Amino acid sequence: MPPNHPDELDADAAAENAARAAASRKKLSLLLLGVGLLGTMLITAGTYFLLKPEDDAEDPAELLEVAFQALEEGRFAQAKELSAELQKKDYRHYPGFSGAPEYILGMIAFRQAIDPSNDEVGREQKYLEARNHLLDADRYIIDTARRPEWAYALGKSLYYTGSAATAGLRLKDALDGGCQEKADASFTLVDIWLNSRDQTDLKNALQINLDLLKTSDLSTADLDRAYLQQVQLFLSLGRNQEAEAALDKLSEDSASNQATILFHAQTRMAENKFPEAIAQLELVAQDLSASASFARQASYLLGVCREKLGDKINAIDDYQRTTDRYGGSPEALAATLRAASLLRQIPSNEKALAAYLAVLSSISPEEDYQNRWLSKEELQDEIIQTWEDWVAKEAFAEAIALSQAMSSVFKDVMAIEYTTLAHQKWAEHLQAEYDDATPQEREILAPELRERWSLSGQQFEKLSEAWKTTPRYTEAIRLSAEHFRMGHEYELSLKQWQKFIDVEPAVGMPNAYVQRGEVLMDLDHLDEALENFGLVIERYSTDAARFTAEYLSGQCFLEKDELKKAEQIWRSIITKGNLGPGAREWRLSLFSLGKYLSNMSDLLRWRAMKGTTEAADPASQALLEESYQRAEEAIRRLEEYVKRYGKSNEITQARFLLAHSLQHVADQHRRKFAVAETENARQEQLKAMQDQLRQAVGEYTELKDQLIRREADKKIETLEKFMLKECFFEIAHTRYGLEEYEEAIGEYTKAANRYPHDARAILAYLQMTRCYDKLGKPTEARSKLEQVKYILEGLPDESFQPHLTNLSKEEWQSWVQWAIRLYQQEQPDANRPLPTTEPAS
């Protein structure tokens, strides 16, 4: 209930009102006789009006005069009936007062509202009724002489129905016009400006107060009230000594009452003497006979004092007590907010959120906000600071709940913006966690991450509707589309990109087509994706998005198994000179081309060797030659990639493919070495083969070390695990190819020990057997063969997968028994055959 409400009059004011009421009753008794005579006259007049001929119609001007007279004499029912009749007739010709009917109805409701006998609900209803009628009257002409009275009544009615700012303007008009209720208008206006806490308003309020004190006929109660307001004004302006001086001017009856004690406590607070202030405030807060207005102020200020002293727990208790006892009051609102802030600092986010939501839900956006303890700007700052604090501390659920309730103190669109931003921050935070997580952790995080991005997409879609008439509309659509895709909501993403494209914004169209194409790729609509990329290449040839469209077109053709087209596109990107190595599309095209060439080399070699152990026919030879050419170019491309982009996401694949291609080209030199006709040619091929193999060992070794570090950090991916296993075995094979048998034995041992349940561990032991054989150590060779027999027995059946070995477990065991028999002699024949790999099935 606002200050100066009839229910909030202090004891002196109430006594004076009672005296006035007694005088009024005396006057009323003297008027009863006159009223009776007047009633007789009205009956006679009414009879005349009923019996007079129809052509002698009532004069609206006369009806209005009667209505005014009934209003002034307190005959509200008659005044109301006549005014309603005039409204029905739409009589607007009363000289200089066309809004008279509405004015009368408004004044009737206002006078009923200020009647002390009215209850709270009835009073508020009458103020609202008065406000509506008096505002309607202003649509017409209001008599100049009655305008101050109209302004006073409207101002009071606006004040008590939640429109304090507008009420202040009307009350100022009433005072400037010389309204009869100068004291009450002044008190109400000062209260309004006190609550606003604006420095200009406070200074204007002080002037109103000083002008009022110059009035000669103020009662003692009004003088005390004026001085108490002056104390509050001086305190709000930081003029503490003048506040003390104003307190000294109070009458003897008021000098020791609760209001005086309260304001003395406030002066102590202004001087940072909080313990002294607490002692005084407790006197008022605990006094059950104290005015509710003063008691609730004291209760709130106790919390402020304890908060200033750093006693958060007791401050929270004081604030909670204020809220519980005086719910709905300005002090309760301020106390709830301060308690919420302290709870957040403790921290106790759940309780803090509940308190913040209680504050926001108690404020109506339709009403003027006024609170002398808490300005709207302070409230807004606290809410935003809390939101930022929770986002920074990753309390995203609380931040979202808070932002969803912001619309009572901010515009609706701002609440949507903060809610959307909180969703985005949550998704980004989880994405960062996911990117830094282990593969096992990612598997757990993935569903929640997709959900967060999807929710962010939904929120941006909602924000786009709020921004529909602003330049930021397409920005929200774009982010919605991007976030839906990250949440794997591909159909929804496609829908949002279509919305964006339909708008045809001046900026962003090429990128929109590219991203729509990517979503179509996600949905496996490759032909439609190519249409989007082709449109960008043709229509936006000078835009940077054109290069992304070209690269992605290559990916589309690769997925469509149109390999030559994919190769042509990637080769064009890295050779035509429109892009440099610093561009993302150039880097990805270089990697894609290197990977394609390496894989194509393998495919051609497989075709050449299919069904035969040696490529003897011309067709196979041609395929082999093309395979080697592809591998040689793959080496050039991948070497450049590894050199330029050592920290890229694709570096492990690039290094693995490079090492593999080096082995492939080394095999070409081995074949040429075998058929070379001259010693020089043989030595040349041997040196080339060894160079390729040594480089392959270097690449495999560096990759192995890098992947072991990732494994130790638990960051290794499934594909990387496969590459790491290959590194162990391929390093050993390559050492063997270099005839570095001691080193090969060590590498085979590492591989077999690390992957004992892999079928290739058998090959590792067999190769070690060959190494010992080459080193002239038959005993060690036979020992390794014996080990293979026991290893085979311990391997589970699932180790013998078709992609790892051609033989079943039983076939392997038979083959090993045969190989062991070859070593039964103490010194085997040096020309005895020993398989270089597993036997053919």
Side-chain angles (χ1 to χ4, degrees):
M1 186 183 300
N4 198 31
H5 193 282
D7 279 357
E8 294 294 330
L9 297 174
D10 60 22
D12 292 336
E16 184 168 337
N17 285 342
R20 289 180 178 176
S24 296
R25 287 195 295 272
K26 183 176 180 180
K27 291 179 181 178
L28 183 61
S29 63
L30 295 175
L31 290 173
L32 289 177
L33 179 59
V35 171
L37 293 173
L38 181 60
T40 303
M41 292 171 62
L42 287 173
I43 293 172
T44 303
T47 304
Y48 167 74
F49 283 125
L50 289 171
L51 298 177
K52 73 176 183 175
E54 288 186 9
D55 57 351
D56 187 13
E58 294 172 313
D59 181 2
E62 292 180 2
L63 285 179
L64 190 58
E65 289 291 350
V66 175
F68 267 119
Q69 184 177 0
L71 172 66
E72 297 304 327
E73 295 175 356
R75 291 179 280 108
F76 296 149
Q78 182 186 10
K80 189 172 183 178
E81 181 180 354
L82 292 172
S83 296
E85 182 66 23
L86 288 167
Q87 280 184 318
K88 184 177 179 181
K89 294 177 181 294
D90 197 25
Y91 175 68
R92 301 293 174 192
H93 303 296
Y94 192 74
F97 205 168
S98 57
E102 289 77 14
Y103 170 85
I104 293 172
L105 291 172
M107 293 306 296
I108 292 171
F110 175 69
R111 292 179 185 179
Q112 291 174 330
I114 62 176
D115 184 349
S117 65
N118 217 334
D119 61 24
E120 183 72 21
V121 176
R123 182 181 298 113
E124 290 182 3
Q125 185 60 41
K126 287 301 178 182
Y127 273 128
L128 182 61
E129 185 181 336
R131 164 183 172 160
N132 294 337
H133 286 307
L134 293 170
L135 286 172
D136 285 342
D138 200 33
R139 293 167 51 204
Y140 304 101
I141 299 173
I142 298 175
D143 180 60
T144 303
R146 292 184 180 269
R147 193 164 185 86
E149 182 184 23
W150 167 85
Y152 166 71
L154 178 59
K156 293 281 287 189
S157 299
L158 287 166
Y159 181 52
Y160 287 116
T161 55
S163 298
T166 310
L169 297 175
R170 297 287 76 82
L171 291 168
K172 183 66 168 61
D173 290 343
L175 289 172
D176 292 344
C179 72
Q180 293 182 352
E181 300 292 339
K182 179 180 179 180
D184 187 57
S186 297
F187 290 140
T188 306
L189 181 56
V190 169
D191 276 336
I192 291 172
W193 283 342
L194 265 170
N195 290 339
S196 78
R197 302 181 64 191
D198 178 80
Q199 289 294 303
T200 301
D201 285 346
L202 291 172
K203 290 175 182 177
N204 290 335
L206 182 58
Q207 188 58 55
I208 294 292
N209 175 267
L210 295 172
D211 290 343
L212 178 62
L213 286 169
K214 295 175 184 178
T215 305
S216 59
D217 59 347
L218 287 179
S219 67
T220 301
D222 283 345
L223 278 170
D224 283 341
R225 184 175 179 185
Y227 283 125
L228 287 172
Q229 280 192 333
Q230 192 175 95
V231 173
Q232 291 174 287
L233 288 166
F234 281 135
L235 287 172
S236 297
L237 290 166
R239 295 157 64 173
N240 300 340
Q241 291 183 346
E242 291 168 280
E244 289 278 11
L247 280 172
D248 292 338
K249 297 177 183 178
L250 292 171
S251 66
E252 291 183 3
D253 292 337
S254 296
S256 60
N257 66 16
Q258 291 85 0
T260 307
I261 298 172
L262 176 66
F263 295 132
H264 273 300
Q266 287 180 266
T267 60
R268 299 290 82 77
M269 290 175 66
E271 297 167 354
N272 293 327
K273 297 178 179 179
F274 299 111
E276 295 91 327
I278 288 174
Q280 292 176 314
L281 291 169
E282 286 178 337
L283 294 174
V284 180
Q286 296 171 5
D287 186 354
L288 299 180
S289 65
S291 163
S293 174
F294 300 136
R296 71 187 185 220
Q297 290 181 51
S299 180
Y300 168 71
L301 292 174
L302 277 171
V304 174
C305 288
R306 291 198 169 99
E307 183 178 355
K308 292 290 186 181
L309 291 170
D311 186 359
K312 293 181 180 179
I313 300 302
N314 284 319
I316 291 172
D317 289 342
D318 284 323
Y319 289 140
Q320 187 61 56
R321 193 176 300 111
T322 304
T323 301
D324 294 342
R325 289 182 180 176
Y326 309 107
S329 68
E331 291 78 11
L333 180 70
T336 306
L337 188 76
R338 294 308 313 148
S341 180
L342 293 177
L343 287 165
R344 173 170 60 86
Q345 296 170 36
I346 288 177
S348 178
N349 286 347
E350 184 178 353
K351 292 181 179 179
L353 176 62
Y356 282 122
L357 295 182
V359 170
L360 293 172
S361 65
S362 68
I363 298 172
S364 172
E366 292 79 22
E367 295 182 359
D368 290 341
Y369 175 86
Q370 280 213 328
N371 190 313
R372 73 178 56 183
W373 312 109
L374 179 71
S375 70
K376 189 170 186 178
E377 290 73 21
E378 290 171 330
L379 171 57
Q380 291 172 330
D381 288 346
E382 173 66 24
I383 296 301
I384 296 303
Q385 181 182 345
T386 298
W387 185 92
E388 292 174 346
D389 180 55
W390 276 340
V391 168
K393 293 177 179 176
E394 301 165 13
F396 298 109
E398 288 86 348
I400 289 171
L402 183 67
S403 56
Q404 288 173 335
M406 281 184 185
S407 56
S408 61
V409 292
F410 296 103
K411 293 180 179 178
D412 287 345
V413 67
M414 189 171 178
I416 297 173
E417 288 173 7
Y418 273 95
T419 303
T420 303
L421 187 56
H423 276 288
Q424 181 182 13
K425 293 285 188 182
W426 197 346
E428 289 173 344
H429 168 74
L430 202 59
Q431 183 69 56
E433 277 191 2
Y434 178 87
D435 293 341
D436 198 45
T438 66
Q440 294 77 11
E441 291 169 339
R442 287 185 179 185
E443 190 174 345
I444 297 171
L445 287 172
E448 183 184 359
L449 177 62
R450 289 195 294 270
E451 180 185 7
R452 283 292 137 215
W453 281 121
S454 180
L455 289 170
S456 184
Q458 292 175 29
Q459 196 61 36
F460 270 105
E461 183 178 18
K462 183 177 179 180
L463 182 59
S464 71
E465 293 302 314
W467 282 353
K468 200 159 193 175
T469 59
T470 73
R472 303 183 70 184
Y473 171 60
T474 52
E475 177 190 352
I477 296 177
R478 175 182 64 81
L479 289 169
S480 174
E482 290 176 358
H483 294 184
F484 273 136
R485 185 186 178 208
M486 295 175 78
H488 294 192
E489 298 280 1
Y490 301 121
E491 294 289 355
L492 293 175
S493 179
L494 199 62
K495 174 185 171 185
Q496 292 303 100
W497 282 122
Q498 189 59 53
K499 280 185 183 180
F500 185 97
I501 290 169
D502 288 343
V503 175
E504 296 185 356
V507 178
M509 284 292 284
N511 180 65
Y513 280 114
V514 167
Q515 296 219 42
R516 186 171 72 169
E518 289 188 272
V519 177
L520 288 165
M521 288 179 69
D522 295 328
L523 293 168
D524 205 27
H525 299 169
L526 300 178
D527 290 330
E528 293 177 64
L530 282 168
E531 289 178 11
N532 279 263
F533 300 143
L535 186 150
V536 175
I537 295 168
E538 180 181 349
R539 189 180 298 178
Y540 304 100
S541 58
T542 61
D543 194 278
R546 176 251 178 91
F547 303 110
T548 306
E550 287 182 339
Y551 167 74
L552 291 171
S553 295
Q555 292 291 333
C556 274
F557 284 124
L558 182 68
E559 292 186 32
K560 283 167 62 67
D561 206 26
E562 298 181 31
L563 305 181
K564 289 185 177 180
K565 290 183 179 180
E567 177 186 1
Q568 181 181 3
I569 287 172
W570 294 327
R571 195 179 295 279
S572 173
I573 289 174
I574 64 177
T575 58
K576 65 185 178 183
N578 292 331
L579 280 179
R584 172 179 175 272
E585 291 78 9
W586 198 95
R587 172 176 63 82
L588 292 175
S589 296
L590 178 63
F591 171 73
S592 297
L593 180 60
K595 181 179 180 180
Y596 163 77
L597 290 167
S598 179
N599 291 336
M600 182 56 67
S601 172
D602 285 345
L603 177 62
L604 290 169
R605 184 170 56 173
W606 176 80
R607 288 175 180 173
M609 303 297 293
K610 188 176 181 182
T612 178
T613 57
E614 289 292 338
D617 62 282
S620 295
Q621 288 291 344
L623 286 173
L624 271 177
E625 186 61 31
E626 184 181 354
S627 168
Y628 292 136
Q629 290 174 1
R630 294 281 186 170
E632 286 172 348
E633 185 182 358
I635 290 171
R636 294 197 303 274
R637 301 300 184 187
L638 292 167
E639 278 181 333
E640 181 176 7
Y641 188 92
V642 169
K643 182 179 179 180
R644 288 184 182 276
Y645 311 111
K647 295 184 178 180
S648 68
N649 293 332
E650 301 84 13
I651 187 61
T652 54
Q653 289 189 60
R655 198 178 293 281
F656 180 80
L657 292 170
L658 173 58
H660 178 72
S661 297
L662 285 165
Q663 286 178 304
H664 189 176
V665 173
D667 184 64
Q668 178 194 30
H669 293 300
R670 182 187 65 79
R671 291 175 181 276
K672 289 183 178 181
F673 170 84
V675 297
E677 296 180 355
T678 67
E679 183 62 25
N680 285 340
R682 287 170 58 84
Q683 291 301 318
E684 183 179 341
Q685 295 301 324
L686 178 61
K687 183 178 185 305
M689 179 188 73
Q690 290 174 338
D691 288 345
Q692 299 284 2
L693 290 177
R694 286 192 178 95
Q695 186 180 350
V697 169
E699 296 296 340
Y700 276 130
T701 300
E702 187 165 348
L703 177 59
K704 182 188 75 171
D705 292 343
Q706 180 182 351
L707 293 176
I708 287 175
R709 288 193 296 271
R710 288 182 60 79
E711 183 180 55
D713 294 336
K714 298 183 178 180
K715 298 293 180 63
I716 194 166
E717 303 285 351
T718 301
L719 177 59
E720 292 174 330
K721 288 180 179 180
F722 165 78
M723 289 191 289
L724 179 58
K725 183 186 291 187
E726 292 295 308
C727 285
F728 272 93
F729 286 102
E730 293 302 325
I731 289 173
H733 292 329
T734 308
R735 291 289 188 187
Y736 182 87
L738 285 166
E739 299 183 359
E740 297 173 353
Y741 301 123
E742 293 285 0
E743 292 83 352
I745 290 171
E747 297 298 339
Y748 279 125
T749 302
K750 291 178 186 176
N753 289 341
R754 184 179 177 91
Y755 302 103
H757 300 299
D758 192 291
R760 280 175 295 183
I762 302 171
L763 293 177
Y765 279 98
L766 290 175
Q767 287 295 89
M768 281 190 274
T769 299
R770 287 191 57 79
C771 288
Y772 282 120
D773 190 51
K774 294 287 186 180
L775 291 169
K777 298 179 178 180
T779 303
E780 288 84 348
R782 186 168 54 251
S783 172
K784 289 299 175 186
L785 278 175
E786 291 290 344
Q787 281 184 270
V788 172
K789 183 173 65 175
Y790 292 108
I791 292 169
L792 271 170
E793 292 176 0
L795 282 175
D797 292 341
E798 55 266 24
S799 296
F800 299 87
Q801 298 295 324
H803 67 283
L804 295 176
T805 175
N806 294 325
L807 303 182
S808 68
K809 183 174 182 179
E810 291 76 13
E811 290 170 330
W812 264 110
Q813 288 173 326
S814 297
W815 186 88
V816 169
Q817 289 295 337
W818 169 79
I820 290 174
R821 283 196 299 272
L822 293 179
Y823 274 90
Q824 292 302 313
Q825 301 178 41
E826 191 67 31
Q827 292 187 355
D829 184 356
N831 296 321
R832 167 188 39 76
L834 184 67
T836 59
T837 182
E838 67 179 271
S841 60

